[in-house]
Amino acid sequence: MKHTLAPVLATLALFATGCEGDISTDNSSVLGLQPPGMTPELLASGLVSTDALEALPAISPDMRDFYFIRQGSDTAPGYRVVSYRDGEISEMALEGIDGSGEVFISPDGTTMHFGNMYKERTSEGWSESISLGAPYDQIDIMRLTSSASGTYVFDERDEIGTIRYARLIDGQREEPVALPEQINSGAFTANPFIAPDESYRIWDSERDDGYGGADLYISFRAEDGSWGPAINMGENINTAHDDIFGSVTSDGKYFIFSRINLGEEADDSTADIYWIDAKVIKDLRPKPLS
């Protein structure tokens, strides 16, 4: 799945559309949208979610900037960012990414990660691209996410199936270490997300217990620091298509992911961004033994 996804998203196109009346005055929700319930819903139908292909979502901690890829047929490629300010919605191209990796905004909102590069938030907007340096400059990273304490969790384009992490301790970053087998199993294991408090990790993979294509999985951290089993996020999230690229907003309220169905031709493919109340994660957490 991951090998065939790249060509479909390689010729990105962008266009602005009208939103279909789902903007509210809730500044605590993504883009001020009416929050979803316990069933996945298209995110911002008519604005983010259109008849084009949309995927690879990322959200700023203040919920006001939403980053994603759109592929259509009639304009130049690029990441998009939809912003919500003072009750107004705007959309523009995100410059300086150029396919270097998948965008992730750090929990404190000060860093934009993409592959083995990053940008820093300044008073003028985002800085020029900066290399993560060794050893990351030698790794073709697809997605890197970070926790509130600075732990990196990332995959590798040339070695799909291995997710690694690197902690930040006393200002020094440890060498990357592979996550345990319960996470690094299955086919096309990639697109990791780490919770801001590091209490769980989410990723996607093709496994025998799945619903078809790639499914989203979660593992919770135990009190002793070990990682629990890989839990399929279930039929409410996963389908026969590729359900991938999951993340949770920094306030822990919303779970956002991509659903992709690749056809024989690009015109036969669909790609959409969904969101759901993040209580779905609480429901998946193993109950303590009585």
Side-chain angles (χ1 to χ4, degrees):
M1 183 275 301
K2 301 300 184 297
H3 296 296
T4 56
L5 176 60
V8 172
L9 295 177
T11 57
L12 309 176
L14 44 95
F15 54 88
T17 64
C19 192
E20 296 178 354
D22 54 358
I23 297 294
S24 75
T25 58
D26 183 2
N27 290 322
S28 67
S29 180
V30 176
L31 301 178
L33 297 168
Q34 295 285 358
M38 295 300 292
T39 300
E41 301 175 10
L42 285 173
L43 193 146
S45 179
L47 178 66
V48 171
S49 299
T50 71
D51 290 337
L53 306 180
E54 288 93 14
L56 311 188
I59 180 72
S60 63
D62 63 7
M63 311 289 205
R64 298 194 299 176
D65 296 313
F66 191 80
Y67 304 84
F68 63 99
I69 283 179
R70 175 178 287 141
Q71 175 179 320
S73 59
D74 56 358
T75 53
Y79 252 96
R80 301 301 293 170
V81 54
V82 172
S83 298
Y84 177 67
R85 299 288 188 280
D86 300 321
E88 298 292 331
I89 290 284
S90 62
E91 181 178 342
M92 61 182 293
L94 178 63
E95 305 293 342
I97 302 300
D98 300 328
S100 302
E102 299 162 357
V103 168
F104 173 78
I105 310 299
S106 64
D108 63 6
T110 64
T111 307
M112 175 191 292
H113 290 285
F114 51 101
N116 52 25
M117 307 289 288
Y118 69 98
K119 293 176 180 284
E120 295 178 337
R121 176 74 77 178
T122 73
S123 59
E124 304 296 323
W126 292 111
S127 71
E128 296 297 316
S129 300
I130 305 168
S131 172
L132 286 175
Y136 305 96
D137 56 356
Q138 301 301 311
I139 303 172
D140 191 7
I141 297 171
M142 293 192 297
R143 189 190 202 192
L144 181 148
T145 66
S146 63
S147 70
S149 64
T151 295
Y152 288 166
V153 176
F154 62 95
D155 56 14
E156 184 174 350
R157 197 182 312 274
D158 295 334
E159 195 176 337
I160 294 176
T162 299
I163 295 175
R164 289 183 277 177
Y165 72 98
R167 297 178 301 173
L168 187 65
I169 299 178
D170 297 328
Q172 300 295 316
R173 189 166 302 282
E174 296 180 321
E175 288 294 314
V177 177
L179 284 167
E181 183 179 2
Q182 64 266 38
I183 294 175
N184 283 323
S185 299
F188 303 119
T189 299
N191 300 317
F193 169 80
I194 184 169
D197 64 359
E198 303 189 28
S199 61
Y200 58 83
R201 286 170 174 159
I202 295 171
W203 70 100
D204 45 83
S205 184
E206 293 184 9
R207 300 192 179 200
D208 292 340
D209 66 347
Y211 292 86
D215 283 359
L216 285 154
Y217 288 82
I218 189 169
S219 173
F220 295 93
R221 189 172 65 175
E223 291 184 1
D224 63 2
S226 64
W227 287 98
I231 301 171
N232 187 296
M233 295 190 72
E235 62 183 359
N236 193 30
I237 300 294
N238 294 311
T239 66
H241 305 311
D242 292 320
D243 300 286
I244 66 171
F245 212 79
S247 63
V248 178
T249 53
S250 292
D251 64 359
K253 289 184 176 180
Y254 312 108
F255 177 58
I256 300 173
F257 65 99
S258 296
R259 179 171 294 159
I260 297 173
N261 180 23
L262 298 180
E264 293 295 328
E265 303 292 337
D267 290 345
D268 299 326
S269 298
T270 59
D272 295 294
I273 295 171
Y274 286 83
W275 64 330
I276 185 175
D277 193 309
K279 290 178 183 176
V280 65
I281 291 175
K282 180 180 179 180
D283 292 343
L284 289 168
R285 187 183 295 274
K287 304 299 187 292
L289 297 176
S290 57

